[in-house]
Amino acid sequence: MTVSPAARPRPVRTSPLLAFAGGAAVGVLGGMIGLGGAEFRLPLLITLFGFAALQAVIVNKALSLVVVVTALPVRLVAVPWSALTPHWSVVVNLLAGSLIGAWAGATWAIRMRSGTLYRVLAALLVLVAVALIANHTATPRQLSAAPAAVVAIGVVAGFGIGVVAAIMGVAGGELLIPTIVLLFGTDIKTAGSLSLAVSLPTMLVAFARYSRDGSFTVLRHHAHVVAVLAAGSVTGTIAGGLLLGAIPDTVLLPLLAGLLLLSSIKVWRHAIPRHR
């Protein structure tokens, strides 16, 4: 199997303690706003641990998958299957676009030059920062449109979210949840569970595409570090969930958005060739 040059393992700066602490810190940040924290973990993998762009995306995707699988049982306790089955058409609608988007996004990430991928990731971090503020400060209202139009918009939105999720290695909850609320009028709690039902198969499709180019080499090469990061991420996400609401949104959200913007600048700088 041919390994994509951008995905070939390279030395990373880390230790078990740093990996666990970094994963836990990201998990806490995400848990405090009801997310997995992958948006914050991606720049950390690049700037602190020294992963190359595509390597960081693949590691982030693996860790996001672990967090989503871990979160599913918890979500099912809060929102049982019986409450979700009436909304199966929402999941199918979004998956019709997101599965294709995930495959396309992973393909583009593999084929991008490293410098271009850094710039794309930096731009997407800004997008997530804007979405973070908008989602938590605005009151979402269901879009008034004909059923056929809603289905069409859902497919297009799903495609875009699938692309973003594949390129960033995230579950896409920050984009999926408001999309579900706006298009289909579900409440936030139900939308959160439905987003996981969309995220899981979407992430698996991206994984399948990345695996075709031998990109999983980075996971095998850094298996120990990835395992410790996963343990820290899950622990932090649980702790962050327990701290949900502990810090007022008026304080927390600007800080998190500012962190994403600062991270985007640092990631962008990785695209600039360094001359000795």
Side-chain angles (χ1 to χ4, degrees):
M1 181 182 293
T2 303
V3 180
S4 171
R8 288 172 184 163
R10 72 180 191 185
V12 296
R13 301 181 299 274
T14 189
S15 69
L17 180 59
L18 179 62
F20 185 87
V26 167
V28 169
L29 289 176
M32 290 178 70
I33 55 175
L35 297 172
E39 297 84 357
F40 305 100
R41 184 170 54 239
L42 177 62
L44 199 68
L45 290 171
I46 295 172
T47 60
L48 179 62
F49 295 113
F51 284 98
L54 186 57
Q55 291 180 339
V57 168
I58 294 168
V59 171
N60 202 35
K61 178 65 75 177
L63 297 174
S64 297
L65 182 59
V66 171
V67 172
V68 167
V69 170
T70 305
L72 274 174
V74 178
R75 294 296 306 190
L76 289 176
V77 171
V79 184
W81 278 119
S82 58
L84 298 178
T85 48
H87 304 285
W88 66 268
S89 60
V90 174
V91 175
V92 172
N93 191 172
L94 291 171
L95 282 176
S98 68
L99 297 181
I100 300 173
W103 188 272
T107 299
W108 294 333
I110 290 169
R111 294 177 179 175
M112 280 183 200
R113 296 177 58 184
S114 181
T116 302
L117 184 54
Y118 279 121
R119 293 186 180 93
V120 170
L121 293 175
L124 290 177
L125 286 171
V126 175
L127 171 66
V128 172
V130 173
L132 177 67
I133 294 295
N135 293 345
H136 292 270
T137 56
T139 302
R141 296 180 180 179
Q142 183 177 7
L143 179 68
S144 178
V150 169
V151 170
I153 295 172
V155 172
V156 173
F159 178 84
I161 293 170
V163 169
V164 171
I167 292 178
M168 295 188 72
V170 301
E174 192 62 44
L175 301 175
L176 275 171
I177 293 174
T179 298
I180 292 171
V181 173
L182 289 170
L183 284 181
F184 307 102
T186 63
D187 60 89
I188 292 291
K189 195 173 183 180
T190 300
S193 295
L194 292 173
S195 73
L196 292 180
V198 176
S199 294
L200 186 55
T202 301
M203 294 169 71
L204 291 174
V205 166
F207 255 114
R209 179 61 187 92
Y210 282 126
S211 68
R212 291 187 62 188
D213 289 75
S215 300
F216 283 179
T217 303
V218 65
L219 299 180
R220 293 192 295 270
H221 192 78
H222 299 294
H224 180 65
V225 173
V226 174
V228 177
L229 276 165
S233 296
V234 172
T235 302
T237 300
I238 294 172
L242 296 175
L243 294 172
L244 188 65
I247 301 178
D249 284 352
T250 52
V251 175
L252 182 62
L253 292 177
L255 286 176
L256 295 181
L259 180 60
L260 287 171
L261 294 176
L262 178 62
S263 297
S264 72
I265 295 173
K266 290 186 175 181
V267 171
W268 183 278
R269 287 176 177 171
H270 277 71
I272 301 174
R274 297 179 182 179
H275 302 285
R276 293 183 179 182

